[in-house]
Amino acid sequence: GSLNQNVVVRSDDHTSLVREIASASAVLLKNNRSTTPNGITSRGLPIAKQMIGSVAVVGKDAKLPNLDCSGGLNECNDGTMVIGWGSGSNSLDSVLPPIDSITSFFGSSVNMTTSLSSDLKAGTAAAKGKDVAFVFVNAMSGELGIYDTVVGNMGDRNDLKLWFDGGSLVERVAAVCSNTIVVIHSVGPVDIPWNAHPNITAIIYAGAPGEQTGPSIMDVISGQYNPRGRLPFSIADEKDYGTSIVYFSTGFPKLVYSEKLLLDYRYMDANDITPRFEFGFGLSYTSFTYSDLSITTSSDPSSAASVSFTIQNTGNFDGTEIPQLYLTYPANAGEPKKVLRGFDEVDMLKGQSKRVVLNLSLRDLSIWDTGSQKWMRPTGVFTVLVGASSKDIRLSGSL
């Protein structure tokens, strides 16, 4: 019935929290920042409004999404992508799109040109010669339902390409604007062969940020929020994942899990593959150093080993580091080269140092023994690895 339908329970605190979560989830993949002698950004991020006279906003992903998708479950991708389609979707009525937040941030202080479409020629014309060009691109997915198809994709994505030829749009804009900033909204890894283009000064992977997509990404772009997000997967070329995509299958195909434990970064480590951006990767506007690793053991199974180290914020901004703890098992264990076993979120003022402690339980050190049907700690020496990502290891020791 109609009881309790359309009852508004939101508060300012709700809205603020949603905005903060979206900002915290944004992953800064690239930032080739240039500054003036007094430290003001001239290219890259965080943006310095006083240095910008002209702006372009390019891509249909920057505009308000279609609020009237057929089927009622967000089964279209027309506008900024904040969530996938299907039963997990929600109302888009409160979405604040990026274009509104960018316009509000710059106000009348700049000459702004927009091309809120996937038109390559229009996007190039809008961006040509601008002090900064923001390009918004996406890749969406949803659930299969009754064979729902959105822009040619039935449920899962057909491939890792950006939708609406977004990769070409990025390349066209970068060819005519030397300060191109790319924002990616996506449900997972995407193909970005253009990431090293010298005119692309910054790339932000913003995921599916929800209704506060505009304010949250502007908080990151402006430096009001220092990015802290980390990739929960690697971004690499499709061939580098060691898996194959099942195309246009009917019914339920038989799958053989021949990869066993070698998924994502574990597969890439085993095959000496360097991804474009590795599992756990994410930049900040500040910098951090790691030092003074200490490893102690205990008979307590809930804390079989304690790993401690010091992190210092050595940059010019307050920020948050996400230290990650990986283990390399003894060779006889048959485990991947390294596996994630813990991480933390460490807020630090500029110049501040903090001691971080990560505990390893007996279960963290164990593998499943099929013979005894129990978790068993393998014999031998473990290598403890601490770093900022699966590839950026700063400290190591033995256990």
Side-chain angles (χ1 to χ4, degrees):
S2 61
L3 183 63
N4 293 331
Q5 284 189 353
N6 302 315
V7 176
V8 178
V9 296
R10 125 185 350 257
S11 67
D12 290 343
D13 288 341
H14 287 123
T15 302
S16 178
L17 179 59
V18 171
R19 180 172 176 169
E20 180 184 359
I21 290 172
S23 295
S25 301
V27 183
L28 182 62
L29 297 179
K30 178 181 180 179
N31 190 27
N32 287 352
R33 182 178 183 234
S34 301
T35 62
T36 64
N38 56 352
I40 298 174
T41 305
S42 55
R43 293 175 75 239
L45 297 174
I47 209 83
K49 184 162 61 174
Q50 66 270 34
M51 299 294 293
I52 304 298
S54 58
V55 175
V57 182
V58 177
K60 66 190 303 181
D61 185 69
K63 71 177 184 178
L64 186 71
N66 185 346
L67 303 182
D68 191 26
C69 291
S70 62
L73 293 176
N74 197 28
E75 295 171 26
C76 61
N77 186 10
D78 183 16
T80 193
M81 196 215 83
V82 298
I83 194 170
W85 76 80
S87 62
S89 64
N90 60 354
S91 170
L92 304 181
D93 291 345
S94 298
V95 170
L96 299 176
I99 183 58
D100 289 0
S101 296
I102 294 173
T103 301
S104 176
F105 175 79
F106 285 105
S108 60
S109 65
V110 299
N111 172 25
M112 184 176 295
T113 306
T114 65
S115 173
L116 306 182
S117 72
S118 54
D119 187 292
L120 300 181
K121 290 184 178 179
T124 303
K128 187 174 183 180
K130 296 296 189 295
D131 292 337
V132 62
F134 299 100
V135 187
F136 288 81
V137 291
N138 72 36
M140 191 183 190
S141 73
E143 61 188 355
L144 187 60
I146 308 175
Y147 294 95
D148 295 324
T149 299
V150 176
V151 196
N153 293 260
M154 186 184 291
D156 290 334
R157 294 179 289 162
N158 293 338
D159 49 44
L160 300 186
K161 294 179 181 178
L162 291 164
W163 286 23
F164 311 113
D165 203 11
S168 294
L169 184 63
V170 169
E171 291 176 313
R172 292 284 190 93
V173 169
V176 297
C177 179
S178 62
N179 189 18
T180 298
I181 295 171
V182 181
V183 178
I184 301 169
H185 290 126
S186 177
V187 294
V190 289
D191 187 22
I192 51 173
W194 36 260
N195 66 285
H197 194 296
N199 285 348
I200 298 175
T201 53
I203 305 172
I204 302 173
Y205 180 91
E211 66 174 47
Q212 293 294 308
T213 176
S216 66
I217 199 64
M218 203 63 236
D219 287 346
V220 172
I221 288 171
S222 67
Q224 182 174 328
Y225 195 98
N226 193 343
R228 66 180 66 183
R230 299 295 185 268
L231 286 177
F233 43 71
S234 299
I235 294 181
D237 296 340
E238 191 170 307
K239 61 180 175 57
D240 291 335
Y241 290 94
T243 58
S244 59
I245 295 176
V246 177
Y247 292 97
F248 307 114
S249 82
T250 56
F252 300 94
K254 182 179 179 180
L255 301 178
V256 178
Y257 295 97
S258 57
E259 70 276 7
K260 298 183 179 180
L261 300 176
L262 300 181
L263 294 172
D264 197 86
Y265 72 96
R266 299 176 179 188
Y267 173 83
M268 296 177 193
D269 283 350
N271 292 278
D272 296 321
I273 294 170
T274 300
R276 295 182 185 276
F277 300 101
E278 69 270 16
F279 176 89
F281 181 84
L283 299 174
S284 169
Y285 294 146
T286 192
S287 56
F288 302 94
T289 59
Y290 290 61
S291 63
D292 302 326
L293 177 68
S294 175
I295 304 169
T296 59
T297 58
S298 168
S299 58
D300 181 356
S302 66
S303 181
S306 180
V307 179
S308 60
F309 49 94
T310 298
I311 296 180
Q312 183 178 11
N313 182 346
T314 55
N316 296 319
F317 297 85
D318 300 341
T320 301
E321 177 67 329
I322 312 293
Q324 299 157 44
L325 170 60
Y326 296 85
L327 280 183
T328 297
Y329 282 74
N332 63 353
E335 292 293 291
K337 283 187 176 181
K338 71 169 81 77
V339 292
L340 179 68
R341 282 294 178 262
F343 59 91
D344 202 354
E345 184 178 51
V346 186
D347 298 326
M348 281 179 285
L349 302 175
K350 59 182 179 181
Q352 186 178 17
S353 295
K354 283 189 177 181
R355 193 72 180 165
V356 181
V357 179
L358 295 173
N359 293 317
L360 290 166
S361 68
L362 181 58
R363 175 69 175 271
D364 289 331
L365 300 172
S366 300
I367 60 174
W368 183 253
D369 181 71
T370 56
S372 64
Q373 291 292 289
K374 293 181 180 179
W375 290 99
M376 303 286 289
R377 175 175 173 171
T379 58
V381 177
F382 290 76
T383 300
V384 175
L385 306 168
V386 175
S389 74
S390 60
K391 288 287 188 184
D392 187 5
I393 301 301
R394 308 289 184 89
L395 303 169
S396 63
S398 299
L399 172 60

